[in-house]
Amino acid sequence: MLKGIIMNNENYQPGLSIDCVIFGFHDNQLKILLIKTPYEDKWSLPDGFIPINEDIDTAAVTVLNERTGIEGIFLRQFATFGRVKRNDQHFGNAVLEHFKIPKEVGKWFTQRFVTIGYYALVDFLKAIPQKENSREIIEWIDHKEVPELILDHREILDKALNTLRIELNLMPIGYNLLPEKFTMPELQKLYETILDKKLDRRNFLRKINNIGILNKLDEKKSNVAHKAPNLYTFDKDKYEEVLKNGLNQGW
Amino acid sequence: MLKGIIMNNENYQPGLSIDCVIFGFHDNQLKILLIKTPYEDKWSLPDGFIPINEDIDTAAVTVLNERTGIEGIFLRQFATFGRVKRNDQHFGNAVLEHFKIPKEVGKWFTQRFVTIGYYALVDFLKAIPQKENSREIIEWIDHKEVPELILDHREILDKALNTLRIELNLMPIGYNLLPEKFTMPELQKLYETILDKKLDRRNFLRKINNIGILNKLDEKKSNVAHKAPNLYTFDKDKYEEVLKNGLNQGW
């Protein structure tokens, strides 16, 4: 696809791209969807360009859908990156050489790109990495084992993770990431995994109950010998309401 | 300046602009810096283009400095706007006609621009609106009396105000906006003005003290007959620390 875009650049918004930081959670693991680049021994965030007849948000949704095979997922624009030196001629030339594109045709691609960052959080067992071609390598990689990334993708990834952590204070998460019925320790583990730190059990219980998005069920987790923990579900209406209005009533 | 850019567009990042929402606070008033456009009976946010040899953040700082005459002000990127229909040919043509620029030269200007939004919060008595030319009208306008704006500038303004309100929960404000020594009611009024709602006095006092950025002085406000209120200053070191690490320790 990239080759086609470079050859037909008049159909795309000039000097602008999209990078998606797709976080995957399951069973206390936080991973990132990454693609091995064919033109350098580095990895890349899933990226895309913006057709001139498409809204930027739509173009971002397209990248997410094409790369995970799932739709209707929460996707959030978090920052735009535009340092002059973020992509250099060296990088552009490597791509042109790889695709055997003449420099005259791909000149625009060796100049500065500004990129708009989006992030999403999905269950990585439900989001199967989609290849663009059979030789492509695209994988869920643990967020603590991220290899060397191209350009400023490491900075984009770090900023996305930082934003996600801050937004845990502003909105509820967990829906679509936990089983329909879950225990309080499972929910706490989700927060701990994203924040990468231990939380106090009592504080967590108090805070999460204060938000008012949980239904405590009249059943307990089965197959647990001793002190079976209570099961909960999300109250979807209240969850949506808090998602819309923000969790922190603040001042 | 705009005319020069349209005529010499190869020196600027194509299809990309910057819009600055500059909030001004003083004495319980919240205003926005706006410019009357010469080619339409509407107003505009201060905007600019991005020289190809400048980082996007630097270009935003330039707009802020040129329009307010002050430097070293906190400026924050908050969102990028890129709907296909955000600027239409009608708008582009009106600008070209106003500046008497041939359509062939200014064709790029009639196509979609993606714009990166930044916001700042300054004391409007210290930030004197700077004109680009003697006929230009640039003014501080009360945020409740904003006239009709061009393009999607109203949406950009609303989003900036919403972001500022959310970020009151994440970072301290007030430095550079209040006198060096201020009273608790003055600080509370700053928050109430930005949030556009009354706050409970005791709750505010408790929350603001919890942040730990205030020094209570051994003096009281003079010229007040009855029950003179205490004076406070910001503890600059702690203020900077909280600004860096975020106010909400959260989970």
Side-chain angles (χ1 to χ4, degrees):
Chain A
M1 193 174 90
L2 185 57
K3 181 174 181 174
I5 290 169
I6 297 174
M7 303 291 281
N8 299 290
N9 58 69
E10 68 273 16
N11 297 324
Y12 291 85
Q13 195 73 11
L16 207 55
S17 64
I18 278 176
D19 283 297
C20 289
V21 182
I22 308 176
F23 295 106
F25 174 84
H26 194 92
D27 265 0
N28 312 334
Q29 284 180 285
L30 185 64
K31 300 188 176 191
I32 321 277
L33 191 61
L34 293 173
I35 298 164
K36 173 77 182 60
T37 65
Y39 37 83
E40 233 183 320
D41 190 23
K42 294 181 184 173
W43 294 67
S44 156
L45 296 168
D47 54 10
F49 291 85
I50 302 161
I52 48 170
N53 59 353
E54 253 188 33
D55 294 349
I56 57 172
D57 289 353
T58 309
V61 168
T62 303
V63 174
L64 180 67
N65 294 351
E66 285 182 355
R67 289 319 203 152
T68 62
I70 48 177
E71 298 195 8
I73 288 298
F74 175 85
L75 186 67
R76 203 172 173 88
Q77 190 201 105
F78 67 96
T80 294
F81 300 82
R83 279 206 312 272
V84 172
K85 301 239 154 103
R86 68 173 298 272
N87 57 316
D88 54 13
Q89 289 215 353
H90 172 78
F91 172 79
N93 289 337
V95 175
L96 295 188
E97 265 173 45
H98 174 82
F99 288 118
K100 299 186 175 51
I101 296 168
K103 280 198 184 163
E104 315 81 73
V105 177
K107 182 168 178 280
W108 67 291
F109 192 74
T110 61
Q111 289 158 350
R112 186 234 318 242
F113 272 88
V114 171
T115 197
I116 309 171
Y118 286 80
Y119 82 83
L121 182 56
V122 305
D123 179 338
F124 63 72
L125 287 195
K126 292 180 194 152
I128 313 302
Q130 307 286 313
K131 296 181 184 201
E132 254 183 16
N133 61 66
S134 60
R135 282 157 305 151
E136 196 179 50
I137 299 169
I138 174 168
E139 282 175 19
W140 285 110
I141 296 182
D142 193 279
H143 82 289
K144 293 194 175 168
E145 287 160 17
V146 170
E148 194 176 354
L149 303 180
I150 59 166
L151 305 175
D152 53 0
H153 284 201
R154 180 79 224 191
E155 179 190 346
I156 296 173
L157 167 54
D158 289 343
K159 176 101 179 171
L161 184 54
N162 196 37
T163 305
L164 171 62
R165 286 171 176 166
I166 288 172
E167 296 201 336
L168 282 193
N169 295 309
L170 302 170
M171 66 172 86
I173 63 156
Y175 193 79
N176 273 334
L177 297 175
L178 293 173
E180 200 200 328
K181 300 175 184 179
F182 52 88
T183 66
M184 196 56 81
E186 283 170 338
L187 183 58
Q188 182 171 336
K189 256 298 180 190
L190 167 62
Y191 279 78
E192 289 181 339
T193 304
I194 293 173
L195 293 169
D196 195 24
K197 65 175 181 187
K198 281 269 169 206
L199 299 175
D200 178 75
R201 191 178 63 81
R202 279 164 196 272
N203 267 341
F204 182 79
L205 189 66
R206 181 177 53 78
K207 284 190 179 174
I208 203 85
N209 276 328
N210 274 348
I211 303 175
I213 52 173
L214 296 181
N215 287 328
K216 192 173 181 174
L217 301 179
D218 238 0
E219 42 180 320
K220 302 210 170 194
K221 182 130 177 164
S222 53
N223 302 324
V224 181
H226 179 60
K227 272 191 86 174
N230 285 300
L231 285 168
Y232 292 81
T233 58
F234 286 113
D235 183 323
K236 194 69 202 306
D237 287 348
K238 286 185 189 158
Y239 189 98
E240 291 295 335
E241 198 187 310
V242 175
L243 197 59
K244 204 176 131 215
N245 299 325
L247 172 157
N248 198 326
Q249 295 309 311
W251 298 96
Chain B
M1 193 175 91
L2 186 56
K3 181 173 181 173
I5 291 169
I6 297 174
M7 304 291 282
N8 298 292
N9 58 70
E10 67 274 15
N11 296 326
Y12 290 86
Q13 193 74 11
L16 206 56
S17 65
I18 277 174
D19 282 297
C20 289
V21 182
I22 307 175
F23 295 107
F25 174 85
H26 195 91
D27 265 0
N28 312 335
Q29 284 180 287
L30 185 65
K31 301 188 176 190
I32 321 277
L33 191 61
L34 293 173
I35 298 164
K36 173 79 182 59
T37 64
Y39 37 83
E40 233 183 320
D41 190 22
K42 294 180 184 172
W43 294 67
S44 155
L45 295 168
D47 54 10
F49 291 85
I50 302 161
I52 49 169
N53 59 353
E54 253 188 33
D55 295 350
I56 57 173
D57 289 353
T58 309
V61 168
T62 303
V63 174
L64 180 67
N65 294 351
E66 284 182 356
R67 290 317 203 154
T68 63
I70 48 177
E71 297 195 8
I73 287 298
F74 175 86
L75 185 69
R76 203 173 172 89
Q77 191 201 104
F78 66 97
T80 293
F81 300 82
R83 277 208 312 274
V84 172
K85 302 240 153 101
R86 68 172 300 272
N87 57 317
D88 54 12
Q89 290 215 351
H90 171 79
F91 172 79
N93 288 336
V95 176
L96 295 188
E97 264 173 46
H98 174 82
F99 288 117
K100 299 185 175 54
I101 295 168
K103 280 199 183 163
E104 316 80 73
V105 177
K107 182 168 177 281
W108 68 289
F109 192 73
T110 62
Q111 290 158 349
R112 185 233 320 240
F113 272 89
V114 171
T115 198
I116 309 170
Y118 286 79
Y119 82 84
L121 180 57
V122 304
D123 179 337
F124 63 71
L125 287 195
K126 294 179 194 151
I128 311 303
Q130 307 285 314
K131 297 181 184 202
E132 255 182 15
N133 60 66
S134 60
R135 284 155 303 152
E136 196 178 50
I137 299 169
I138 175 167
E139 281 175 20
W140 285 110
I141 296 183
D142 193 279
H143 82 291
K144 292 193 175 169
E145 287 161 15
V146 170
E148 195 176 355
L149 303 180
I150 59 166
L151 306 175
D152 53 359
H153 284 201
R154 179 78 225 192
E155 179 190 346
I156 296 172
L157 168 54
D158 289 345
K159 174 100 179 172
L161 185 53
N162 196 36
T163 304
L164 171 61
R165 285 171 177 167
I166 288 172
E167 297 202 336
L168 282 194
N169 296 308
L170 303 171
M171 66 173 88
I173 63 156
Y175 192 79
N176 271 334
L177 297 175
L178 293 173
E180 199 201 328
K181 298 175 184 180
F182 52 88
T183 67
M184 196 56 79
E186 283 169 338
L187 183 58
Q188 182 171 337
K189 257 297 181 189
L190 167 63
Y191 278 78
E192 290 182 338
T193 304
I194 293 173
L195 294 168
D196 196 23
K197 66 175 181 188
K198 281 267 169 206
L199 299 175
D200 178 75
R201 191 177 62 81
R202 279 164 195 272
N203 267 341
F204 181 79
L205 189 66
R206 181 177 53 78
K207 284 189 181 176
I208 204 84
N209 276 329
N210 274 348
I211 303 174
I213 51 174
L214 296 180
N215 287 328
K216 192 172 181 174
L217 300 179
D218 238 1
E219 42 180 319
K220 302 209 169 198
K221 183 132 177 163
S222 52
N223 302 324
V224 181
H226 181 60
K227 271 190 89 174
N230 285 301
L231 284 169
Y232 293 81
T233 58
F234 286 113
D235 183 323
K236 194 71 202 305
D237 287 346
K238 288 184 189 158
Y239 189 98
E240 290 295 334
E241 197 187 310
V242 175
L243 198 59
K244 203 175 132 216
N245 299 325
L247 172 157
N248 197 325
Q249 294 310 312
W251 298 96

